[in-house]
Amino acid sequence: MDIRNMRFDYFETMLRARKGYTRVMDPICSQWDLTRNELDVLLFLYNNPDFDRASDVATRRGMAKSHVSLSVSTLESKGLLRRRTDPEDRRTVHLELLGEARDIAEQGRQAQSEFFGKIYDGLTCDELNAWTRVVEKVSRNIANLE
């Protein structure tokens, strides 16, 4: 199969999805006076409780370490996040959501759920499972390129 003749433009589709996601998240950022990076950090920590270090956020979310660091510092100053040194390894710092951070993250999670519900609207379970398998294969191929 000649991949150049495929009608699906992955990059255009992902760009449109990203813009749509931004439109959904921007009101939450405005309401809580957060940057998108700060909201992304809160959501990552809320959605991934087993990955609670800044390096986890940077690696798994694909954010620049400097953006994560700045966001963590700002969130900490706003009382939404706390750094906690691991008692067994003093070099490891865990991040903990505080105060309204959980409310903000829950609102963000709800927006995410609605957004992805709209994206996948009309797809059957079989189609979603097939999509998942395709994305996993493509992800492995991308990882092999690295």
Side-chain angles (χ1 to χ4, degrees):
M1 160 171 69
D2 184 0
I3 198 88
R4 294 171 298 187
N5 292 330
M6 292 182 65
R7 301 183 103 178
F8 177 70
D9 187 338
Y10 173 81
F11 293 109
E12 180 184 341
T13 301
M14 290 301 105
L15 178 62
R16 290 172 61 208
R18 190 171 202 58
K19 286 180 179 179
Y21 184 78
T22 296
R23 279 193 302 275
V24 168
M25 292 300 169
D26 279 350
I28 298 169
C29 291
S30 294
Q31 177 185 348
W32 296 97
D33 190 29
L34 298 171
T35 66
R36 269 298 306 286
N37 285 337
E38 291 164 1
L39 180 59
D40 287 347
V41 168
L42 291 180
L43 281 168
F44 179 87
L45 294 170
Y46 189 73
N47 289 329
N48 303 281
D50 292 337
F51 299 101
D52 64 350
R53 299 173 306 145
S55 61
D56 294 329
V57 178
T59 302
R60 295 179 177 276
R61 185 65 177 80
M63 294 174 66
K65 290 178 184 179
S66 60
H67 291 164
V68 173
S69 179
L70 179 61
S71 296
V72 166
S73 293
T74 304
L75 291 167
E76 191 174 32
S77 72
K78 292 179 178 183
L80 297 172
L81 197 68
R82 175 174 63 189
R83 300 175 210 234
R84 187 177 40 80
T85 303
D86 189 318
E88 294 178 19
D89 181 356
R90 311 257 331 135
R91 296 170 299 174
T92 301
V93 176
H94 298 279
L95 304 173
E96 182 181 352
L97 299 177
L98 299 173
E100 292 178 315
R102 292 194 176 282
D103 296 334
I104 297 167
E106 187 55 45
Q107 186 178 355
R109 180 188 269 179
Q110 181 63 37
Q112 285 176 326
S113 181
E114 290 172 14
F115 175 75
F116 288 110
K118 289 177 184 176
I119 286 180
Y120 298 123
D121 186 42
L123 295 178
T124 66
C125 284
D126 286 342
E127 290 169 330
L128 284 171
N129 288 333
W131 170 253
T132 300
R133 288 191 304 273
V134 168
V135 169
E136 287 172 352
K137 284 182 181 181
V138 169
S139 293
R140 279 194 302 275
N141 292 342
I142 291 169
N144 289 337
L145 292 173
E146 297 171 346

